[in-house]
Amino acid sequence: MPTSVTAARQFLTEEAARALDEAVAVARRRSHAQTTSLHAVSALLSLPSSTLRDACTRPHSSGYPSRLQFRALELSVGVSLDRLPSSKSVEDPPISNSLMAAIKRSQASQRRHPESYHLQQLHSSNNNSNATGCSQTQSIMKVELKYFILSILDDPIVSRVFGEAGFRSCDIKLALVRPPVTQVSSRFSRAHCPPIFLCNLTDSVSGRVGYNLMFPRQEDGVDENCKRIREVMVKKTGKSPLLVGVCAMEALRAFTESLTKGKYGILDDDLSGLIVISIEKEINEFVNEGNDEKMGLKLKEVEAVLEKSNGSGQGGVVLHFGDLKRLILDGVLADFVTSLVLKLTGLMEVYGRRLWLVGAVDSVEIYRKFSDKFPSIEKDWDLHLLPITSSKTSFDGAYPKSSLMRSFVPFGGLFPTPSDLRSPISGRNQSIPRCNLCNEKYEQELDAVMKSGSTVSVADQYSENLPSWLRMAAVDTSKGEGVAKTNAGESMLSAKVLGLQKKWNDICQRLHCTPTFPKLDINPSVSHVSIVDDPQFSTDKKQRRGDDLSINESLFPKQSPSRQVHMQQNFLQKSTASISCTSKGRNMNFLSGLSLAQQTDKGVSCFHYPQQSLSSSSGCTPSSFVPPVTTDLKLGTIYASTSQGSITAKSLNHKENLRHFSGSVSADFDANSETTSHQFAQSPACSGPTSGEQFDLGDYKSIRKVLAEKVGWQDDAVSSVSQAVSQLKHRYQSSRGMNCKGDNWLTFFGPDRVGKKRIASALAEVLFGSRECLVSVDLSSQAKVGQSNSIFECEELNGYDVMSRGKTVSDLIAEQLRKKPYSVVFLENVDKADYGVQNSLDLAIRTGKFPDSCGREISINNMVIITTSAMTKGNINVFCEKKDTKFPEERILGAKNWQMQILVGSVSDDVCKRKDTGVWVTAIKEASTSVSANKRKLVDTAESSELEKAEAQEREHKLPRSCLDLNFPVEEEDEGDTDTRSGQSKSESLSESSESWLAEFFRQVYKKIHFNPFDFEGLADKIVKEISTQCERTVGTGVVLEMDEEVMVQIVAAAWFSEKKGALEDWVSKVLGRSLAEAGHKYELTPQSVVKLVACEGVVVKEQAPGIRLPAEINLK
Amino acid sequence: MGYNLLEALNVRVVGSGDRYLVLAHGFGTDQSVWQRILPLFTPSFRIILYDLVCAGSVNPDHFDFTRYTTLDPYVDDLLNILQALGVERCAYVGHSVSAMIGILASIRRPQLFSKLILIGASPRFLNDEDYHGGFEEGEIEKVFSAMEANYEAWVNGFAPLAVGADVPTAVREFSRTLFNMRPDISLFVSRTVFNSDLRGVLGLVRVPCCVIQTARDVSVPASVAEYLRTHLGGRTTVEILRTEGHLPHLTAPALLAQVLRRALAR
């Protein structure tokens, strides 16, 4: 039965009644039927000088800024109010029973505290001149606002709302009961009045013991600076702190103040009973007025005190001389300073043990000036320069976090509450009894460590296999494995035992002592299973895969439920009866959305307890979540599964599922998912839906046929490549689970870049069903920028440079690998790899995992990695022809994709003489440049930057190439090679090591294949022949066609590069033929005319002829 | 204690070589920020990596709000780590706040450090009468309230600003590590940093220093590098990197590595 507002009002003092009115107004605005405590809270908070608001700020117990917390509070009040049903608006919503009850309660409690009531009444009447209410109706106990608020806070709804915002209503209550002594807003003063904690209510020293309900406050507001000063003072020598720093004066003042107040903890037993005597004022007086009498008196006083304390053997004097700057004076005053310094020195000599001089100075420079005058001052005064960097020290403490805030903090709720945290930094040790299982494990491992004497524990071995960055990640995630593995081994051995102990303690605690993880609801069987799940099971491939999956899943406890269900289904499908109980147990874990300990193959526990960083909402999951299992189940598993078609199918299926979110969650995961299954050497049934034409991989001949079709001119290389690939396949099939690191690595030596690339892409098609499955990176150019006008580079993405900025080459490669997990990886010019790439490749060939610079790894076991090098070193088969080649490969590679044009002139004499065939190739330099001069200018201005870039690139590109000229003998080439490498290498000083690295790298490569140089001469001859017949056909025999050498190079390059059979012939007959015919019409060519085919330098081909990188049209002039 | 500390702060020692090199990350990052630099130095140095206690990769419960109120406890941590590892002499590379920490550490233990390399260092971020630190007090308060109001939004706004150069991956990486920090810790630490003032104590440094500064750094004006050079007590050189932003080790690792190598060789 609600009470009317007026009835309720009469129980309240005017102040409280006003608050009630506000509450009623709130209820009315929201058209609620009744006024409840919540309305009252809302009203109280919105009052301009709200007692409640003040009270909330005062406990200062929040780890969060109070403003933020207030917003949270307002929000949660608002939300709760919104939940109340609204009705048609009432004039004055009556007071609800609960609020009325609160008023009654407050009345009662006020009655129980007559003194405070009285005091408060007095207080309020002092403040409030019109507080006549109390005298008017003495008969009814009028409730003070304070008590009103107190009892409202008792209301469970209200305390829940406060709790949601991270306040503890008991804190607020205490703050209300004990109003602050002085309302000073400075942070410092706050540090001086002891925080109001529950236990402090009783006050007294004993109360201090209990304050660890909260975070242990270090020393009741003693700040860091004071602590440091104290540390100096307890020293034997150099015990007079001279604070140095801009804030030094403030810090000094804070220190002396707290010392004068005799605060607890500032000085411990040794230093208790010290008296602070300041001569700061006296110094000032002297400096300003030249009056040194007082100083003399003061020093006498000091001496007296010292005499006394010397006699009693305790106490002492802290002589505070203030800012040292004041003592740097010139003239007459300098004498005074000298005498003062001498006096102090004298005091120090006599009473050194009981006297501390303290002072401050803005900066060292000033101190130096001072010490120049008094060179021995540091020793005489026993000074210790103490850098002070900050004066505002104690601010916000850390406290019960608001539940709203908690949502910011991923997994915040899973961390142990602060009170039971063992903070390693504070160095407290707790002994936690391990359970038997864990103890056993611990002892085993300890044994292992002790016996071997090496610094490698099981855990370390396991992580040894990881690349360094992953290792770090492992440290991040599984603290247990900690730092023990660092190279500074010896010094850590003893520490390691401790570490082991702790590790197993941790493990045990996490697994078996559920209380620390309040939400982790593991039933015993589950934890048991995960413990037993050990190497002896490792033969069971399926089990292992099961583990893997569950790791994957538990790594992402936050993923959407639907996916989890999905995963579980997959998982269940696969789990066999033998592990079904496990899987059930696991499922429970998945459902609870928590990660649980998993065993890796090596039998090392690895605990992924949810870390805060995990769910950084930006979606980039940090590297630390690479599960330390990955590839070890690769081959064995695969082949086990290929024998059972159904399972493979499922795993494929599963892989697809994994892929679904691999993109959105993390790349590591992606890499991981690959390990579940799939090999490039899978049986045709598994080779993926994309493979249109399927090859029997075992069949060497068929591979060879395909390759030879693509690269007809490299017979030897084609046969060795096909041999290698078929062998590779064979080996995979015969050696299940065998360590095959480096087996899928091929190296192509020698020239013919196009041929190598063509073979790589053909392999991609053969092995993985699509030419898209080729990852091609040229390691020679640091940032892979597409050269838009070169024949060979224009296939590269033009946006590449944007992507690659700020990335290392390893990252670029890794990114590509991640995108194409089943692919042929084609790394050109491996000899030019920078250090980072070398590192990555090194690891990749040894471990089968390619690390990017973040330490994330991509499994490359499903790839064929082809590295190329233009070197022919160490190769006897390739004979370097000394023959003078007109078209060295570098020149062809540098060919530009320029527009061509036809010029018509008349025959010059020498041409006449030489003329017998219709076509020849010359360097028509002058002509081409003069013709295109204006054009080039135009182009230059238009796309100068681009061109410049391209040209710079070109130069860079050409430089190394020129050294690969086959015209040079091998020895020379080697030399040149090294030179350029060191010139090019990004980290110059490391280049010397790259040679040896290369040798080592090539040693590990499975197969080295040598390529022969491409016969450009032959091709050129063929082209000339082709063109001359065309020329004869269109314009008749008499006409001479002169071709610029550049054009020739361009055509040769295009023909070399073109994959389409007959594309060149097509071009000659269609494009060139048409142009010649047109020229014939236009200029009426006679046998005396010379037709010149030249390149318009600087004008890039706009339209390309089909199948060949040559212009679709030739300009006519 | 030593071991616990090493563990809590994810201390790692990698690489081979006679000399120790400490790589200390700055505010808003963790030790992974050195990943691009690291491989270039592992062959010639034993590199000590650790996370500041405020880093996102450290269990936030280790962050004692009553302890880490000034930079000194961070210095304690550093010195404790070096002691626990038995390091007697090392070169130190510190970025931003770690540069400050390095300065203080070298004041306390001058013999421990053979060389300080300070990247994006500033003794004081706030402007003063005759000192340009780059920030006005009012601005800082605005930043703080922005952090309080919406940490994520602040991170997303601040990260590109700090990174400076147009390098999306670096921005992403920095946002990641920045967002990993618990908002309250992040705010607390930045308050600590902005309250710190090392100007007076620079003269106490005796260790040779190399100040590495990018051409444009949103947090540290160019004049600061010069200020450091004139005020640091030891032999000090200044290197200006031809790149932008506060995090050259993310945006221009190769460039920075070159300069580091040169500085370490001296």
Side-chain angles (χ1 to χ4, degrees), chain A residues 963 971-981:
Chain A
C963 310
E971 300 81 42
E972 269 179 54
E973 186 185 302
D974 281 351
E975 247 177 64
D977 218 344
T978 338
D979 282 347
T980 38
R981 209 179 309 136

Side-chain angles (χ1 to χ4, degrees), chain A residues 350-416:
Chain A
V350 182
Y351 306 102
R353 273 184 56 240
R354 294 278 147 216
L355 177 63
W356 286 264
L357 299 175
V358 296
V361 66
D362 264 0
S363 76
V364 202
E365 284 74 18
I366 298 172
Y367 169 73
R368 298 240 186 278
K369 264 188 216 160
F370 186 72
S371 63
D372 283 350
K373 283 192 180 150
F374 306 99
S376 63
I377 197 75
E378 190 160 345
K379 204 170 131 273
D380 290 348
W381 284 11
D382 213 4
L383 286 181
H384 178 97
L385 298 193
L386 183 67
I388 295 293
T389 55
S390 173
S391 62
K392 301 173 190 169
T393 45
S394 28
F395 29 96
D396 319 320
Y399 290 102
K401 292 132 207 162
S402 131
S403 60
L404 283 170
M405 284 301 291
R406 213 167 261 188
S407 60
F408 280 128
V409 184
F411 292 104
L414 289 178
F415 283 108

Side-chain angles (χ1 to χ4, degrees), chain A residues 940-959:
Chain A
D940 272 359
T941 45
E943 353 170 29
S944 61
S945 62
E946 193 189 312
L947 263 172
E948 252 169 50
K949 202 164 145 199
E951 267 161 19
Q953 281 271 323
E954 165 74 4
R955 253 175 275 128
E956 200 184 72
H957 228 75
K958 278 216 159 158
L959 180 74

Side-chain angles (χ1 to χ4, degrees), chain A residues 63-65 67-68 71 187 215-218 223-225 227-228 244-247 362-365 368 385-399 401 405 408-409 415-416 418 421-429 468-469 471-472 475-476 479-484 486-489 491-492 495-496 498-500 502 506 611-618 620-623 805-808 811 835-836 839 853-855 986-990, chain B residues 1 3-16 20 31-36 38-43 46 49 51 53 55-73 76-77 84-86 104 107-108 124 128 137 145 147-152 166-170 172-173 175-176 179-184 187-188 191-192 195-206 230-231 250-251 253-255 258 261:
Chain A
Y64 298 97
R67 187 141 35 102
L68 193 51
R71 280 185 51 192
R187 289 205 171 96
F215 239 98
R217 274 217 170 230
Q218 199 160 30
D223 64 50
E224 195 62 31
N225 289 336
K227 205 183 106 202
R228 285 190 188 273
V244 184
V246 178
C247 322
D362 264 0
S363 76
V364 202
E365 284 74 18
R368 298 240 186 278
L385 298 193
L386 183 67
I388 295 293
T389 55
S390 173
S391 62
K392 301 173 190 169
T393 45
S394 28
F395 29 96
D396 319 320
Y399 290 102
K401 292 132 207 162
M405 284 301 291
F408 280 128
V409 184
F415 283 108
L421 170 85
R422 294 166 302 134
S423 165
I425 292 166
S426 61
R428 268 178 293 153
N429 273 320
S468 57
W469 279 105
R471 238 176 278 160
M472 186 211 71
V475 175
D476 280 349
K479 301 247 179 193
E481 285 160 18
V483 204
T486 51
N487 295 354
S491 62
M492 282 187 170
K496 180 171 298 176
L498 274 175
L500 274 178
K502 178 154 186 304
D506 279 2
Q611 273 212 340
Q612 175 192 15
S613 46
L614 178 91
S615 57
S616 51
S617 68
S618 50
C620 44
T621 310
S623 58
R805 228 183 327 162
K807 283 184 195 169
T808 62
D811 280 345
Y835 185 79
N839 237 7
S853 62
C854 313
K986 253 201 154 175
S987 44
E988 299 106 355
S989 55
L990 293 168
Chain B
M1 155 119 187
Y3 184 80
N4 285 337
L5 181 72
L6 296 184
E7 194 182 323
L9 299 183
N10 306 323
V11 178
R12 298 194 309 134
V13 182
V14 293
S16 52
Y20 278 106
Q31 55 177 280
S32 66
V33 80
W34 298 110
Q35 60 199 336
R36 282 144 207 258
L38 193 61
L40 303 171
F41 289 90
T42 39
R46 292 174 99 173
L49 290 156
D51 287 337
V53 71
S57 47
V58 173
N59 183 341
D61 289 325
H62 294 331
F63 191 88
D64 184 344
F65 283 88
T66 59
R67 182 162 177 253
Y68 293 97
T69 51
T70 68
L71 292 177
D72 291 307
D76 291 341
D77 285 350
L85 294 176
L104 293 175
I107 292 173
R108 262 200 254 167
R124 173 74 168 165
D128 207 344
E137 185 124 26
S145 42
M147 284 170 84
E148 282 175 37
N150 187 344
Y151 187 67
E152 192 182 354
D166 179 22
V167 185
T169 35
R172 238 180 355 251
E173 183 63 16
S175 315
R176 173 180 80 77
F179 195 71
N180 272 350
M181 293 176 75
R182 215 170 68 184
D184 53 337
L187 183 65
F188 191 88
R191 273 189 195 281
T192 309
N195 281 334
S196 297
D197 190 338
L198 268 64
R199 283 174 295 162
V201 306
L202 293 178
L204 290 171
V205 176
R206 283 279 162 257
T230 47
H231 286 80
L250 277 181
T251 49
L255 199 61
Q258 270 175 18
R261 191 170 289 284

